[in-house]
Amino acid sequence: MNDYQLYIDSEFCESSDGGRFDTVNPATGEVWASAPAATEADVDRAVRAARRALVEGEWPTLTATQRGRLLSRLADLVTDAAHHLGEVETTDSGKLAAETRAQSAYVADYYRYYAGLADKIQGDTLHVFTTREPVGVVAAIVPWNAEMFLTATKIGPALAAGNTVVIKASEEAPAPLLEFARVVDQVGFPPGVVNLVTGFGEPCGRALTSHPMVDKVAFTGGVDTARHVVANTAHNLAPVTLELGGKSPILVFDDADFDGAVNGAVAGNFGASGQSCVAGSRVLVQSGVHDRFVDEVVRRAEAIRIGDPLADDTQMGPLATQAQLDRIEAVVAESIDQGATLHTGGCRPEGLDAGWYYRPTVLGCADQDVRSTRVELFGPVMSVLRFDTEDEAVAIANDTEFGLGAGIFTRDVSRVHRVAGAIRSGIVWVNTYRAISPIAPFGGFGNSGSGREAGVDAIHEFTTTKTVWINTSTEPMSNPFTIR
Ligand code: NAD
């Protein structure tokens, strides 16, 4: 049993009242670690440490190049620890080890990218000059499904720009970030620059996002939680970046490379057990290839090896929580009641009774009155819709409250431009799906959020403009009451 501690002001510590919570391995349903339940007092201590580090001591005196060096060191240490961090994330979240190990390794690339950007953040020269200043103390709130990655996309640019941070891990899978705190501790950041708290939305998340010394909130999570977060920031008026959910469409046209399109749909729905914000969970297929496409995705879904996420030959692990499983079962049942055709799946796999496993599921949906086409399921459930014309496909794609990702599979380059322009989403993938890179901004339209993570855009989210006026005349400033 691993008993983790909070990381505040470069010290590992218990919560102020000694409260803890257990965390469960989704592959077995058994408790394997415990984490402190941070209180309001703990959050206050972490934010004050971050505030002190922002204005006093070594951090504000470092050159941008020196900050970049620290981020580079963090990248190297994350690379060294990638295997271990990946296994911890798998044990805590159920995500496939092949994916978490690879993700821990490329998370280092995000830190490297921002290490390089740190000394390239610049203002402008007009009649005045401007500088880009760190916005201040950043609260970084992450969900359970990709904690290492979603932390990197926040604290990478935040630290490069000279901010200090308090990270709040998810209560559903806090262990990867608690291990990450041990890595951070070896980097040599001045005390208080990076802090980590674990706990629940109430009181920990609420106390952090409404704290008067927090200057910026970078939040990834669900839409309903985002509403609370935005309400919390009415207290400190901190600007908020929101990376929320999605119901992203994948459009498959008759002329598409068939195998490529099937791979895109399989990756977009069954990769990470579908627990991905960019899951392409509405697959829109043109009539000419529709039936063949459905047959093939069903064949592929049924061939997926489900099981222990730590095993090398497993292709799909469990869902992260019992609540996730219950909700997915309920929405699939409701969708079938509403007329959806269950092509495959729709139940737990045989012989895997202990963890929270669910079979890859393909639903045929006549229209978007079916619930599975409307709500984010965060599970391995693909809803397939048929279309005839490009205009129809675009209309279905845009008929959603979300706007995070979209996939277009076609060989027609003019159509690529038309459809990519017409779809309201923050990311469009053409003849590929779920690709990410440190250089590529990431974020959504509508209820998928606001603001952008990654790329140079993220630096703008964590800096604010300072305008400097200098009197260059040989005369002293004139009397304001003498109008000339
Ligand atoms: P969630 O919204 O339940 O929780 C996210 C975080 O918010 C957790 O750390 C939680 O403790 C915290 N929280 C809860 N109540 C709070 C409050 N009142 N104040 C402040 N913080 C509070 O999300 P989840 O179920 O853990 O994650 C799944 C969601 O995350 C999905 O909707 C998914 O689409 C989204 N997501 C989005 C992206 C993206 O980049 N767009 C990436 C991954 C996940």
Side-chain angles (χ1 to χ4, degrees), residues 449-461:
S450 58
R452 292 294 177 263
E453 295 197 328
V456 178
D457 290 38
I459 294 290
H460 292 268
E461 303 282 346

Side-chain angles (χ1 to χ4, degrees), residues 28 71 76 101 103 121 129 207 245 257 333 362:
T28 61
L71 277 170
D76 291 345
R101 286 187 201 127
Q103 192 168 71
I121 302 170
F129 71 86
D257 179 277
V362 180

Side-chain angles (χ1 to χ4, degrees), residues 142-145 168 171 201 205 220-222 225 243-245 277 376 442:
V142 291
W144 47 264
N145 66 315
K168 185 207 163 301
E171 62 273 38
T220 301
T225 316
E243 294 292 345
L244 311 179
C277 54
E376 182 185 44
F442 187 101

Side-chain angles (χ1 to χ4, degrees), residues 364-450:
C365 304
D367 54 38
Q368 298 212 106
D369 291 336
V370 173
R371 194 157 153 76
S372 68
T373 65
R374 291 283 171 196
V375 296
E376 182 185 44
L377 274 158
F378 230 55
V381 180
M382 181 192 303
S383 295
V384 183
L385 293 125
R386 182 195 292 266
F387 70 88
D388 289 314
T389 66
E390 183 182 306
D391 286 349
E392 194 190 341
V394 169
I396 299 170
N398 283 339
D399 181 16
T400 173
E401 67 184 272
F402 297 109
L404 188 54
I408 304 171
F409 285 85
T410 178
R411 288 190 169 101
D412 180 338
V413 71
S414 304
R415 171 184 284 147
V416 165
H417 284 274
R418 277 194 309 275
V419 177
I423 290 186
R424 268 180 65 79
S425 69
I427 313 155
V428 177
W429 287 289
V430 178
N431 296 330
T432 186
Y433 204 77
R434 264 187 104 204
I436 51 166
S437 157
I439 65 169
F442 187 101
F445 283 52
N447 280 357
S448 290
S450 58

Side-chain angles (χ1 to χ4, degrees), residues 105-267:
Y106 71 66
V107 154
D109 290 340
Y110 280 74
Y111 290 118
R112 273 191 200 103
Y113 174 78
Y114 286 108
L117 265 188
D119 56 9
K120 293 158 199 77
I121 302 170
Q122 58 190 46
D124 225 332
T125 312
L126 312 156
H127 291 299
V128 297
F129 71 86
T130 64
T131 56
R132 304 271 337 164
E133 300 289 315
V135 71
V137 175
V138 172
I141 319 260
V142 291
W144 47 264
N145 66 315
E147 285 195 299
M148 290 291 296
F149 169 66
L150 295 167
T151 298
T153 59
K154 293 171 180 57
I155 75 167
L159 295 173
N163 300 280
T164 56
V165 299
V166 180
I167 307 160
K168 185 207 163 301
S170 164
E171 62 273 38
E172 301 293 356
L177 286 182
L178 289 156
E179 288 283 346
F180 174 67
R182 295 174 178 173
V183 174
V184 168
D185 193 53
Q186 296 168 45
V187 174
F189 287 111
V193 170
V194 181
N195 307 274
L196 173 76
V197 292
T198 50
F200 296 88
E202 179 58 45
C204 178
R206 194 234 334 122
L208 181 56
T209 48
S210 58
H211 196 289
M213 285 182 184
V214 163
D215 301 292
K216 160 89 190 172
V217 175
F219 173 81
T220 301
V223 178
D224 291 341
T225 316
R227 293 187 212 287
H228 286 289
V229 167
V230 170
N232 296 344
T233 57
H235 294 274
N236 52 18
L237 299 180
V240 189
T241 306
L242 299 173
E243 294 292 345
L244 311 179
K247 194 74 208 171
S248 301
I250 294 178
L251 282 62
V252 179
F253 289 90
D254 285 347
D255 70 339
D257 179 277
F258 186 79
D259 292 340
V262 169
N263 282 332
V266 169

